[in-house]
Every structure is written in C-alpha cells, then in structure tokens.
Amino acid sequence: MSEQVIQLDKNKCKACYSCIRACPVKAIQVKRNSVFPHIDESKCIHCGVCLPSCVYNALYYYDSTTEVKKLLNSDYKIAAICAPAIAGEFSDINDYRKFVKMIRMLGFSYVNEMSFGVDMIARKFKELIDDHFKGKYYITSNCPSIVDLIQKFYPELIGNLVPYISPAAASAIVIRKLYGESVKVVHITPCVAAKEEARKKSKGIDKIDAVLTFQELRTLFDEFKIKETFSEFSDFDAPLGYKGRLYPISQGFIEACHLETNLLEGKTITVEGKENALAAIHQFIKHNEDIHRHFNIFFCEGCIMGPGNSTCGDRYLKHTLVLNYIKKRLTHFDIHLWKKNMDAHLNYPELTTQFNDQREFIAIPSELEIKATLDRITQRNNNKEVNCGACGYGTCRGLATAIAQNIAIPEMCVTNAQLGNREVSHEFKMTMEELTMAKNDLKKTKESLKKNEQTLSFCNEALSILIKKLNTGIVLANEHLKVIECNIGFIDVLGDDVKEIHEVIPYLVGADLNTLLPTALITQLNYLLEHNEANINRDVEIDKKLINVSMFQLIPNKLVGALFRNLHSKEERPEEIIHRVNEIIEENLRQVQQMGFILGEGAAKMEKMLNSIIKSYK
C-alpha cells in the first residue's frame, strides 16, 4: 500500500471545514489562495476522528479489499489475525465459530486470534514495570495513533514509550514461527491507524501484509455472498488468547497484564478518547513527577469504538457483548496449554522495537505577523478576541498563528464569517430594495414609452396620410438621402419614369434621391443635414418643368425634407405669382428706403455746407 491512509475527495468536499475542527493535531489544513482542505501526511496520526465529521463523505480511508483479494488469489498461504473486538461488531452472528468459518470461506488458510499477541505484550509490559522498574514511568505503545502522536508531536516522550511492538505484529511473529516465514498475514481490526502501521513495516517477521477493517470484511462477505446460514462451525487456530481478549475495552489490557487494578494500589492509569488522550500526554509531560503512574492510553474509547467499525454507536452494548463473549470463551479454557504456548513464544527478540523522532518543524511566525493576522480576523468585531474555538484552533490567536503559517485561512473564523454574512445580508437586502424600486421605475418608464410609442406611431401615421393628401410635392429623406416618405405630387414632378418606379415601389420608400434629383439639389440637401439653416429655396428645371424647391432640416444629421412647386401648374401659378410680386414689392421698397436714406443724408450734408458758406460770408 503506497497511498495515504486517510484521503479527501475534492469532488465531494463542500469546504465546510468540519474535518479541520475535528482533527486533534490539525493535520488537515487549508493553504493560502485555496478553498479545499488537504491532509498533511507528515502530521496525520490516522486516528480516523475526521471520518464521521464529514457529512458529505468526502473523507475516506484507503480500501484494502482489492489488495486482500489479490493475496487470497495468490499461491501463498494467507493467515488472518482477528482483533478481539469482533464480538462487539458482529453481534448479528450468533456463534463466533461460524464467524471463523466465514473467514476461512474467503480463502484464508489460517484464522488466529490477536488476543494471544495481546497476552504476550501484556506479559512483557508487566515484566518491564515489575522486574526492571528503575523509577521511569511508561506510556503503552499498543495504540498506533498514540505512537504516531508521540513520534510526530511529542518526541521528547519517545523514551517513555513501552519499547515493544503492537499485539498484531506480535501475533504475526507467532504465525510465521509456526507456519513459515512465507505466510502472508492480514490483520482484521476496527483500527484504521493499523493500516499506516502496516504500510511503514515493509519487511521482517512481524510484517503485516494488509489490514482489513470490519467494514471491509463485511464488504467481502457481501461480495462473495458468505452468510452465517451457510456456514459450519470452525474454531480459531492455536495458540488461543486468554485475558488478551479483553483488549477492546481499554482497561482490559491492564487486566491482561495481571496488574493491580485497585485504585489505591494500582500504578497504571487507563485513558481513552481523543480529548482525554491529549490531556494525558500534556499532563504526563508537565506533572510526571507528581503523578507517579504509568499511562495506558487509547485514542479511541476502546477498540470497540474504532473508526473501522460499521457502526460506532451503542458503546455500552458493545462493551457488554465483548464481556459476554469472553466469559463464554473462558468457560472451558485450557490455562495450562496457554501457559505452555506463552513460554514458547515470549522471548522472541523481534518483540522489542525502537521509535523514531518524526517531528517536522513549522517556522513560528513573528509577533508582528500574528498581530496583523489577528487584526484582520477580528476587524469586524471591533478587534475583540472571541476565542469561541469554532475554527478548531481553540483561540483567535491560535487561528491567527495558523494563518500566518499558511495552514489555515481567515474564512475559517466563524464569528468573522457570521458578521460578514450579516453585512452581506444587509447589503443584499438594501440592494434588493433598490432593485425593486428600480424595477418599478423601469416598469413605469416602459409603460410611458409604450404610450409615447403608440402616440408617435399615430403621429407618424397621421403625418404620412397628411403628406400623401397634399397637392404640393413633398419628400422626406434620411441621412443617406433615402426616401422615407413622399406623395404623388413629388412623383408627378419627377416625371413618368419615376411613376413607373412608384408602381413597383409604392411612394418610392427606400429609393435613393441621388439618382432622382439634380446634383445641385443633392448638394443643398447634404449641406442642410449638417447645418442648421432655416431653409433654402432654389428654382430648378426637372423633366422640362420649372420647379421651385424649398428645402429644410427636420433632425440634424438625420432627416431633411423638401417641397416641390411646379411653376407651370395652374394651381401653383397664382399663388406663386402673388408670392413673387410680394417679393418684388418688398425688394423695391427696400431699395427705395435705401435711396431715401442716401438722399436724405446727402441733403443734410449740402445744407450744412451752405449754412457754413453763408456764415463765413457774413
């Protein structure tokens, strides 16, 4: 197995960060400029606490079923080591002997109890603290998550770890001593951290080749349709365990050690559960000389509550089922055979091990960096540190430090996010109100425009009718001098050729005036489009008729118009003659007025000169 034990599927992740809050060592982190968390393998202790915290099932552990099926299909002999927590998990199987048979039906050659390995490590622990005690207090090394925790975060306690391998590894040694070193070993357990333990140990007589959780074992039973109904009785292979069967209940290991459990006389404290385990480690460091006790620590609330169980509820029911199972097994137990087996296997040198410092240092940010980050996440709350712990880092300063170390982001601050959400919600509400008002205004404007459009349409229609009913020729053209409106009078002025066009294109709509009118008129019309002149009058000859044209601008750069009067027309002639006579009279009057002004001014000058001569003569 080369993959990480605990993995994250980003396709399912909703970035709710519940896994970060659940992780006791903050191995799940969010990098700067990122949204999704990732798992830092160098810090993960594989406790599995994060797994049930994710309601989206984005977190999962490495699936060993394929790996185990390959082993079972190989030419090797395969041995199963069953953790004694089976009674708490497989309560639906009435007789443990049928459970053993079901495992054999999968293809296992041997099915052994891990409880014998527990008995071996328990005896070694008792010898360590009874026969070789020199004032040094120990922490049991049975729980892989506790071993990871100390190696990665509290390496100063490595010397206080009991220097023995895990009960599962001890069982693997016994199996290979009995059946040969070529035997492959599969550990069946509720412990997810056991997968990491197996991954690290790639060779040796104590090697675990694969780890199946109880969940995965059920999957294999379902896949191969193996049920209790179709199973016969079959017992575990020797050697059988004794009080090591109590191991799933945390205090059971001390019972297996045959150590004093009386509160007044006992020298070992049993600790279980995430919070208690972390507190015990801290207090072992700080108050060891005052406590004077060995610590038997399990990260879960006993192996009966391990994350590899199919269900992690009903703890006390599981507790009872395990005890009932053990009582039943011990009814006719051969204690003498057990002692003989213990003596035969207890002194293997491979039972002893050493632990290593695996701590990775993260640079501690400066006080200035922490303060700047702290101000950022508390800004919305008047820079008050709430210390609600909802981010998973305990205090605002703890989160600020993590942000400065680039293992967290400000959005993880729940208080800051809530205040920000309220601000956004208020702004959104105000925006919605403004949008509603704007929508109402827009609706009114649309209604007004619709009315104006209707009015304009009526006006355009009326104008079109009016233009067409006028006797005088009229044309309206756009900025490209394309005909928009004209009447029959205009068409008559232009002659028979244009009348034929009118028959094809009624009222010449869209026709180009450049092809219909003299160049002089086109020039004047283009000039009017660009200049705001009142109007321009020109007399031109069109189709051998003398035409008076009055041109005017309607919309600058958009619309011009022209009136065409045929000076040879009887209808137009009297009006035009009167108009022309009025123009001549006005022009003559203007000239007379100018002549009178000149004569009057000359007479005044002559009078002044004569008066001057008379005065001089006198």
Side-chain angles (χ1 to χ4, degrees):
M1 182 181 77
S2 59
E3 298 182 49
Q4 288 185 194
V5 174
I6 307 293
Q7 301 178 29
L8 173 72
D9 185 348
K10 289 185 178 180
N11 293 323
K12 293 181 179 179
C13 180
K14 304 300 180 185
C16 67
Y17 306 137
S18 60
C19 56
I20 296 176
R21 292 188 285 274
C23 181
V25 293
K26 296 298 168 279
I28 305 177
Q29 305 167 356
V30 183
K31 295 290 185 182
R32 191 178 299 118
N33 300 324
S34 178
V35 175
F36 297 107
H38 81 283
I39 300 169
D40 186 346
E41 181 66 15
S42 67
K43 293 179 175 56
C44 183
I45 61 174
H46 313 98
C47 59
V49 171
C50 59
L51 296 172
S53 73
C54 183
V55 297
Y56 303 105
N57 296 319
L59 283 168
Y60 60 99
Y61 58 79
Y62 174 81
D63 186 350
S64 301
T65 54
T66 301
E67 186 179 2
V68 170
K69 284 188 286 187
K70 286 181 180 179
L71 286 174
L72 293 171
N73 289 325
S74 69
D75 295 330
Y76 292 102
K77 295 288 187 180
I78 313 298
I81 300 174
C82 291
I86 55 173
E89 166 67 20
F90 294 94
S91 58
D92 50 326
I93 299 176
N94 295 318
D95 194 303
Y96 79 92
R97 292 172 297 177
K98 287 199 170 187
F99 172 74
V100 174
K101 181 62 176 178
M102 290 168 69
I103 295 175
R104 293 188 192 278
M105 290 170 69
L106 286 171
F108 286 94
S109 305
Y110 312 104
V111 182
N112 294 78
E113 287 186 299
M114 191 187 84
S115 54
F116 185 79
V118 175
D119 287 332
M120 293 171 64
I121 298 303
R123 175 72 66 84
K124 300 295 285 186
F125 178 58
K126 180 175 173 57
E127 291 175 358
L128 178 68
I129 65 175
D130 280 356
D131 302 337
H132 309 290
F133 182 66
K134 298 178 181 179
K136 183 178 182 179
Y137 291 95
Y138 288 94
I139 298 171
T140 55
S141 55
N142 299 321
C143 176
S145 290
I146 293 297
V147 173
D148 268 348
L149 179 67
I150 290 175
Q151 289 185 129
K152 293 181 177 181
F153 294 93
Y154 305 98
E156 63 271 28
L157 294 180
I158 285 176
N160 295 93
L161 276 172
V162 173
Y164 300 121
I165 60 177
S166 68
S171 299
I173 292 175
V174 173
I175 288 171
R176 289 194 172 99
K177 291 290 185 181
L178 290 173
Y179 309 126
E181 293 190 12
S182 63
V183 173
K184 301 295 182 181
V185 176
V186 176
H187 184 200
I188 299 174
T189 175
C191 180
V192 171
K195 289 178 179 280
E196 175 64 11
E197 182 186 24
R199 187 169 75 105
K200 287 179 180 176
K201 187 69 175 177
S202 60
K203 59 184 179 180
I205 195 171
D206 60 336
K207 180 182 184 305
I208 304 292
D209 295 282
V211 174
L212 271 182
T213 63
F214 288 165
Q215 290 176 339
E216 292 171 326
L217 181 59
R218 284 188 181 276
T219 300
L220 289 178
F221 283 159
D222 291 340
E223 182 178 344
F224 293 102
K225 295 179 174 55
I226 296 174
K227 298 182 179 180
E228 180 187 12
T229 308
F230 313 122
S231 304
E232 299 174 349
F233 290 139
S234 178
D235 211 333
F236 287 106
D237 293 304
L240 301 179
Y242 181 37
K243 286 192 175 181
R245 293 165 180 162
L246 290 166
Y247 182 76
I249 301 167
S250 302
Q251 181 68 15
F253 179 71
I254 304 304
E255 292 271 359
C257 293
H258 297 277
L259 292 173
E260 181 59 64
T261 56
N262 183 286
L263 289 176
L264 295 176
E265 302 298 329
K267 292 293 182 181
T268 305
I269 297 174
T270 295
V271 180
E272 59 183 6
K274 177 182 72 171
E275 289 80 7
N276 293 334
L278 293 172
I281 296 293
H282 294 154
Q283 293 179 42
F284 189 92
I285 295 171
K286 188 175 181 181
H287 303 297
N288 179 255
E289 292 305 316
D290 297 319
I291 295 174
H292 292 293
R293 296 288 189 279
H294 306 288
F295 276 28
N296 174 40
I297 307 178
F298 290 85
F299 209 84
C300 299
E301 294 180 325
C303 294
I304 53 174
M305 301 302 291
N309 284 294
S310 57
T311 59
C312 291
D314 302 326
R315 177 189 176 193
Y316 299 106
L317 173 62
K318 291 178 182 237
H319 183 282
T320 303
L321 291 170
V322 168
L323 289 179
N324 291 341
Y325 164 72
I326 294 168
K327 287 178 182 179
K328 184 177 180 180
R329 292 292 308 279
L330 293 179
T331 302
H332 303 291
F333 187 72
D334 190 341
I335 191 71
H336 299 291
L337 178 60
W338 173 78
K339 288 180 179 180
K340 182 180 177 181
N341 288 329
M342 286 289 288
D343 292 338
H345 298 290
L346 194 60
N347 295 315
Y348 296 137
E350 293 90 350
L351 294 175
T352 303
T353 190
Q354 290 183 337
F355 300 102
N356 303 312
D357 184 343
Q358 298 178 10
R359 177 165 52 187
E360 288 196 6
F361 290 94
I362 298 180
I364 299 175
S366 68
E367 186 62 29
L368 184 62
E369 289 177 304
I370 295 174
K371 183 66 170 60
T373 308
L374 195 58
D375 289 343
R376 182 180 175 188
I377 62 177
T378 59
Q379 181 179 3
R380 283 196 173 100
N381 201 33
N382 299 320
N383 295 106
K384 182 179 179 181
E385 296 180 34
V386 179
N387 298 326
C388 64
C391 61
Y393 284 90
T395 64
C396 295
R397 185 178 179 84
L399 176 60
T401 303
I403 294 170
Q405 290 174 322
N406 192 26
I407 60 174
I409 56 176
E411 289 76 8
M412 291 168 60
C413 177
V414 176
T415 303
N416 185 47
Q418 286 177 339
L419 290 171
N421 288 340
R422 291 194 197 103
E423 290 176 2
V424 171
S425 177
H426 177 70
E427 291 175 1
F428 180 73
K429 183 179 178 181
M430 296 297 294
T431 303
M432 287 302 296
E433 290 177 357
E434 291 175 1
L435 285 173
T436 301
M437 293 174 62
K439 184 178 179 181
N440 292 333
D441 291 343
L442 181 61
K443 185 178 179 181
K444 292 178 182 178
T445 303
K446 286 176 68 177
E447 291 174 353
S448 176
L449 286 173
K450 188 174 181 180
K451 292 179 180 178
N452 291 339
E453 184 180 356
Q454 291 174 346
T455 303
L456 184 60
S457 176
F458 294 149
C459 291
N460 286 337
E461 188 176 346
L463 178 62
S464 178
I465 294 171
L466 180 62
I467 288 173
K468 288 179 172 60
K469 288 192 175 292
L470 288 175
N471 292 326
T472 302
I474 186 168
V475 64
L476 302 181
N478 61 18
E479 66 271 26
H480 304 296
L481 296 184
K482 302 288 186 180
V483 175
I484 296 175
E485 286 282 355
C486 75
N487 60 5
I488 297 299
F490 173 70
I491 294 169
D492 289 340
V493 166
L494 297 181
D496 294 335
D497 292 340
V498 177
K499 288 180 182 179
E500 292 178 2
I501 298 173
H502 164 63
E503 291 177 359
V504 179
I505 305 174
Y507 295 99
L508 310 180
V509 174
D512 191 352
L513 290 182
N514 288 285
T515 62
L516 300 176
L517 299 178
T519 303
L521 294 182
I522 297 300
T523 302
Q524 296 296 331
L525 288 171
N526 282 320
Y527 177 82
L528 278 172
L529 277 169
E530 298 175 2
H531 299 83
N532 190 17
E533 295 285 341
N535 56 54
I536 297 176
N537 279 304
R538 288 289 300 271
D539 290 339
V540 294
E541 185 176 329
I542 300 176
D543 194 31
K544 299 180 181 181
K545 297 188 287 287
L546 184 61
I547 306 298
N548 174 253
V549 183
S550 179
M551 295 167 283
F552 46 87
Q553 183 193 86
L554 293 172
I555 301 175
N557 299 308
K558 292 292 182 181
L559 189 65
V560 290
L563 292 172
F564 293 78
R565 292 190 293 271
N566 185 354
L567 297 181
H568 295 287
S569 170
K570 293 180 179 180
E571 291 83 1
E572 295 282 356
R573 193 178 300 159
E575 181 183 344
E576 187 61 27
I577 290 171
I578 293 170
H579 174 69
R580 291 300 177 88
V581 169
N582 285 333
E583 282 185 347
I584 292 170
I585 292 170
E586 288 175 1
E587 182 65 26
N588 288 335
L589 286 173
R590 189 164 51 253
Q591 290 177 1
V592 170
Q593 286 173 350
Q594 288 176 351
M595 290 173 64
F597 175 77
I598 294 169
L599 290 172
E601 189 177 31
K605 285 182 180 180
M606 186 175 290
E607 181 181 359
K608 185 177 181 180
M609 290 174 64
L610 289 173
N611 287 333
S612 176
I613 292 171
I614 293 169
K615 185 177 180 181
S616 176
Y617 180 77
K618 285 182 179 181

